Amino acid sequence: IVFGDWSSDVCSSDLWVIAIGNPFGLEATVTAGIVSAKGRVIGAGPYDNFIQTDASINPGNSGGPLFNMEGKVIGINTAIVAQGQGIGFAIPINMAKSIFNELKTKGKVTRGWLGVSVQDITEDMARNLNYKARSGALVSEVFKGDPADQAGIKVGDIIIDINGKAIKDMHELLLTIAGLSVGDKAKMKVLRDGKELSVTAVIAERKDTRQAAATESGNGHFGISVQEMTDDIARQLGVPKFTGVIITEIEPGSAADEARLQAGDIILQVNRVTVKSLENYRKEIAKAADKKSVTLLIKRGNSNFFVALRME
């Protein structure tokens, strides 16, 4: 078996492929087809980056090689569409090669960790952030003491480039960071308040127990009702007293309801302004209501996320 690179440049020999089943599976078959897409995200995990092919992958064939017409292995057959449409997915061989030595020597894969929660930028968010493009990954949370925090990354920054590679969305950022080794330097370009900055973070090891945080919801402007964060509520939620306002009710059918905000969520920011009191919140949400759109930073449980609301 010859292992070939699966690069972004697809040649004619890569378009037609052959899938061979795992000899230890229930079936041992050879099928042929074409590569119909690359970089597919199928919900298998945060590092999805599959080759899609109609060279059928039969039950029991997962783990078998995906060949191109030159006899080079370009992927490892992994999954199929359950509806039986003849569509299969394979892990790119470059991804497998990048972790082969680690699996061989350590028996596990170590992923890079930056220490942020990120999300894609919607059209409404871009408008409220005065960002003309929608590429990049929006930072919704920075974990204290982790690489991003030490490098000076802040909530609301938009990461657009890592080590010279343009970041088009959240998924690409996760793949890029995961592909770096512990101790590697990630030289990043970020947008903050419309200005481009350069920062460098030293990658740490990702731990499976790391999680993010969030909370929000309401009724009033945008269908949100809130209340002050009292000592008792803050203690129950395990947050500082002056951490935003808590949503008590969401009006059915409102913009907040459509965005799936809920009672118990905590509003941390209104259009990039940190919420420190109920009075502060009312002032900022009233300004946003006049413009009929707002971007909120929400805390729910252990995760933070941005949400854009618009009044019709």
Side-chain angles (χ1 to χ4, degrees):
I1 296 176
V2 179
F3 291 90
D5 286 337
W6 180 250
S7 66
S8 57
D9 299 322
V10 181
C11 63
S12 59
S13 62
D14 291 326
L15 291 175
W16 285 93
V17 292
I18 300 171
I20 296 183
N22 184 344
F24 301 103
L26 300 177
E27 302 282 346
T29 57
V30 177
T31 60
I34 64 169
V35 168
S36 51
K38 299 191 303 176
R40 284 297 198 204
V41 177
I42 63 174
Y47 311 117
D48 282 15
N49 183 27
F50 291 98
I51 300 169
Q52 179 179 316
T53 175
D54 65 2
S56 299
I57 299 172
N58 297 320
N61 284 354
S62 294
L66 183 71
F67 289 93
N68 65 10
M69 295 304 290
E70 294 179 352
K72 295 180 179 179
V73 177
I74 61 171
I76 300 173
N77 301 323
T78 304
I80 61 173
V81 172
Q83 292 81 357
Q85 299 175 0
I87 298 175
F89 301 94
I91 298 172
I93 199 63
N94 289 359
M95 179 179 285
K97 288 163 67 177
S98 68
I99 64 175
F100 175 77
N101 287 331
E102 259 194 312
L103 286 173
K104 185 177 179 180
T105 58
K106 300 179 182 178
K108 67 175 185 177
V109 178
T110 302
R111 299 289 189 182
W113 172 257
L114 184 59
V116 294
S117 288
V118 293
Q119 63 188 89
D120 291 332
I121 303 169
T122 66
E123 184 176 344
D124 287 340
M125 287 178 185
R127 184 184 302 109
N128 290 326
L129 294 171
N130 294 319
Y131 183 44
K132 295 182 180 180
R134 286 179 57 185
S135 59
L138 177 63
V139 177
S140 58
E141 185 171 12
V142 178
F143 297 107
K144 187 175 181 180
D146 280 344
D149 181 40
Q150 295 176 3
I153 295 290
K154 296 182 179 180
V155 171
D157 285 352
I158 301 173
I159 301 175
I160 59 174
D161 184 283
I162 297 178
N163 290 340
K165 178 182 180 181
I167 301 300
K168 64 180 181 180
D169 55 23
M170 173 187 74
H171 185 68
E172 187 160 33
L173 182 140
L174 293 175
L175 285 176
T176 301
I177 294 298
L180 296 176
S181 300
V182 176
D184 284 352
K185 291 184 178 180
K187 297 180 180 179
M188 296 174 284
K189 292 181 181 178
V190 303
L191 292 178
R192 181 181 300 165
D193 298 324
K195 297 180 180 179
E196 185 176 304
L197 305 174
S198 295
V199 299
T200 300
V202 179
I203 298 300
E205 180 180 349
R206 182 185 181 93
K207 303 294 184 181
D208 292 338
T209 54
R210 294 188 192 268
Q211 293 181 340
T215 302
E216 92 169 290
S217 233
N219 180 18
H221 290 303
F222 301 96
I224 302 174
S225 293
V226 301
Q227 75 173 61
E228 191 86 68
M229 181 71 70
T230 65
D231 288 336
D232 287 342
I233 293 175
R235 190 161 40 249
Q236 291 174 15
L237 297 175
V239 299
K241 177 181 177 182
F242 300 107
T243 303
V245 293
I246 188 166
I247 295 173
T248 58
E249 185 181 355
I250 297 293
E251 181 181 354
S254 65
D257 186 37
E258 292 179 359
R260 299 177 184 263
L261 295 184
Q262 59 194 43
D265 286 350
I266 299 173
I267 300 177
L268 300 176
Q269 290 184 3
V270 177
N271 284 341
R272 302 292 302 281
V273 177
T274 300
V275 175
K276 297 182 178 179
S277 66
L278 183 58
E279 181 180 357
N280 175 215
Y281 167 80
R282 286 172 174 166
K283 178 181 177 181
E284 296 303 325
I285 202 69
K287 292 179 184 178
D290 289 339
K291 297 179 181 179
K292 298 188 180 300
S293 67
V294 66
T295 295
L296 303 174
L297 177 61
I298 300 301
K299 180 177 180 61
R300 176 180 297 160
N302 289 325
S303 301
N304 288 1
F305 58 91
F306 284 100
V307 63
L309 307 178
R310 180 164 52 181
M311 292 191 292
E312 298 298 333

